[in-house]
């Protein structure tokens, strides 16, 4: 039986990991540590909130004393570190938060883990798993081979630079101090509970509000898309079979240009409206979806500074060493995602109108 501390476990990927872990390892103990900033949402844990093996703590990963306390009190043997500022646009307009959370926060966690697991009278059984991104590798041209674990780091945004720094710190704590660290670098995730500022949920919710669908530049930026539960599965394999000190790429084998992703989501939403008459009443503002003309909402806008052209993950190492292969095709995963947003308006509406954050402030002030 494992005892996990999951940082950022109320965020999009972290919460989906918690759902996955408790479903597959019901006897394990999971402690979630989350600061409940704008992207962390306690409602993301609602599907598992009644599980006796789940504990939630509101707190900051920069609070080293709190982290040490949690590691000791809950006899934590596995720390899975998701907590991060992750939106590139926000890192351009306000990079300070990315430096604080992604670099200083990771450093604080590593110090706490070393103190509790290594610096006592005996070395405790442990694993520190650091969750990172393919963006640390930089950008690719159309004909370049996909990123491998040996690709040199070349981050191009404050976000990716802060994640690259955290990757290096995790590596250093393994090689210098002997902390049992593994790192995974993933491609773009999508699925349930995805914060509405990100591309796929933004397109869905904007369609339902009949708002423009903004496309940066020519829309031909290419990303590899990974269904979030497949990411959780990949991390599971790293924890079970991964070699300490190693990095593992987790990808979806699924490259799409942004504009084609948008058009695919438009088509799926239109199909849902065509096949379910009740949606027109539920989302009366979605005029383009009701009329079957959502592509008319597409609007091209000025590209963001330093926009990487292409990311692509080569997950051969993870496949060969750990047996990893995405379980969800893009066709099935994106269909599930669209349906989830159509069925969970209460969740994303509370996030978008600020009522969730108001609730958080009242509960934890």
């Amino acid at each position: 039986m494992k005892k996990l501390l999951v940082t950022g476990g109320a965020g999009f990927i972290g919460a989906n990991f918690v759902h996955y872990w408790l479903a597959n390892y019901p006897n394990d103990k999971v402690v979630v540590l989350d600061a409940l900033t704008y992207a962390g949402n306690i409602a993301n844990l609602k599907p598992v909130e009644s599980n006796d093996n789940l504990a939630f703590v509101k707190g900051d990963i920069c609070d080293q004393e709190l982290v040490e306390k949690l590691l000791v009190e809950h006899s934590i043997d596995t720390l899975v570190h998701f907590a991060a500022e992750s939106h590139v646009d926000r890192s351009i307009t306000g990079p300070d938060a990315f430096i604080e959370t992604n670099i200083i926060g990771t450093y604080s966690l590593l110090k706490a883990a070393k103190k509790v697991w290594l610096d006592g009278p005996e070395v405790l059984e442990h694993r520190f798993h650091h969750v990172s991104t393919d963006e640390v590798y930089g950008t690719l041209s159309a004909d370049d081979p996909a990123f491998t674990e040996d690709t040199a780091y070349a981050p191009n945004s404050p976000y990716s630079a802060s994640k690259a720094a955290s990757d290096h710190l995790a590596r250093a704590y393994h090689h210098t101090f002997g902390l049992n660290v593994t790192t995974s670098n993933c491609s773009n995730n999508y699925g349930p509970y995805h914060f509405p500022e990100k591309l796929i949920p933004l397109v869905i919710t904007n369609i339902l509000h009949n708002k423009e669908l903004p496309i940066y530049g020519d829309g031909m930026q290419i990303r590899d898309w990974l269904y979030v539960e497949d990411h959780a599965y990949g991390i599971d394999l790293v924890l079970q079979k991964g070699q300490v000190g190693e990095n593992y790429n987790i990808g979806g084998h699924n490259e799409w240009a942004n504009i084609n992703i948008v058009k695919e989501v438009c088509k799926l939403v239109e199909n849902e409206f065509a096949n379910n008459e009740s949606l027109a009443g539920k989302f009366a503002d979605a005029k383009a979806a009701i009329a079957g003309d959502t592509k008319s909402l597409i609007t091209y806008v000025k590209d963001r500074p330093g926009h990487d052209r292409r990311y692509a993950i080569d997950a051969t190492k993870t496949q060969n060493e750990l047996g990893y292969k995405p379980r969800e095709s893009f066709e099935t995963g994106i269909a599930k995602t669209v349906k989830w947003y159509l069925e969970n308006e209460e969740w994303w509406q509370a996030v978008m109108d600020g009522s969730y954050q108001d609730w958080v402030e009242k509960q934890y002030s």
Side-chain angles (χ1 to χ4, degrees), residues 35-248:
L36 296 182
T37 57
Y38 79 96
N41 188 339
I42 194 69
N44 294 356
L45 296 172
K46 189 173 182 179
V48 291
E49 65 182 357
S50 62
N51 193 309
D52 291 338
N53 285 329
L54 174 68
F56 175 79
V57 178
K58 182 179 183 294
D60 192 331
I61 59 172
C62 293
D63 186 345
Q64 183 181 339
E65 184 178 347
L66 171 61
V67 175
E68 291 174 11
K69 178 182 177 183
L70 294 175
L71 292 176
V72 172
E73 286 188 354
H74 296 277
S75 301
I76 299 295
D77 53 49
T78 304
L79 193 159
V80 186
H81 176 34
F82 291 98
E85 294 284 347
S86 65
H87 192 46
V88 175
D89 287 2
R90 286 178 182 259
S91 81
I92 294 170
T93 58
D96 288 6
F98 290 73
I99 304 304
E100 180 70 18
T101 299
N102 298 354
I103 301 178
I104 304 302
T106 300
Y107 176 50
S108 177
L109 290 173
L110 289 164
K111 287 193 293 179
K114 175 180 177 292
K115 183 174 180 180
V116 172
W117 288 336
L118 299 182
D119 294 347
E122 61 176 326
V123 174
L124 302 177
E125 189 73 23
H126 68 275
R127 174 71 69 86
F128 186 112
H129 183 73
H130 176 56
V131 181
S132 191
T133 172
D134 57 1
E135 296 192 39
V136 299
Y137 298 124
T139 187
L140 297 169
S141 66
D143 298 326
D144 285 337
F147 301 128
T148 71
E149 291 82 356
D150 294 324
T151 300
Y153 277 32
N156 290 319
S157 70
Y159 161 61
S160 57
S162 67
K163 289 298 291 183
S166 66
D167 290 11
H168 293 320
L169 283 169
R171 174 185 171 86
Y173 262 70
H174 167 68
H175 285 277
T176 301
F177 302 114
L179 194 68
N180 291 341
V181 171
T182 47
T183 297
S184 56
N185 297 80
C186 69
S187 52
N188 279 35
N189 282 218
Y190 70 97
Y193 301 102
H194 204 177
F195 195 77
E197 72 185 357
K198 299 299 181 78
L199 178 63
I200 289 175
L202 176 70
V203 170
I204 297 170
T205 55
N206 274 18
I207 289 173
L208 298 179
H209 286 123
N210 213 52
K211 293 182 178 180
E212 292 181 346
L213 308 179
I215 306 297
Y216 281 131
D218 62 2
M220 292 305 296
Q221 304 86 2
I222 294 172
R223 301 292 183 262
D224 174 36
W225 290 91
L226 173 67
Y227 190 64
V228 66
E229 188 170 309
D230 281 330
H231 186 189
Y233 170 58
I235 293 172
D236 182 6
L237 290 175
V238 175
L239 291 173
Q240 304 300 336
K241 302 178 183 180
Q243 184 176 337
V244 169
E246 290 293 310
N247 284 48
Y248 294 92

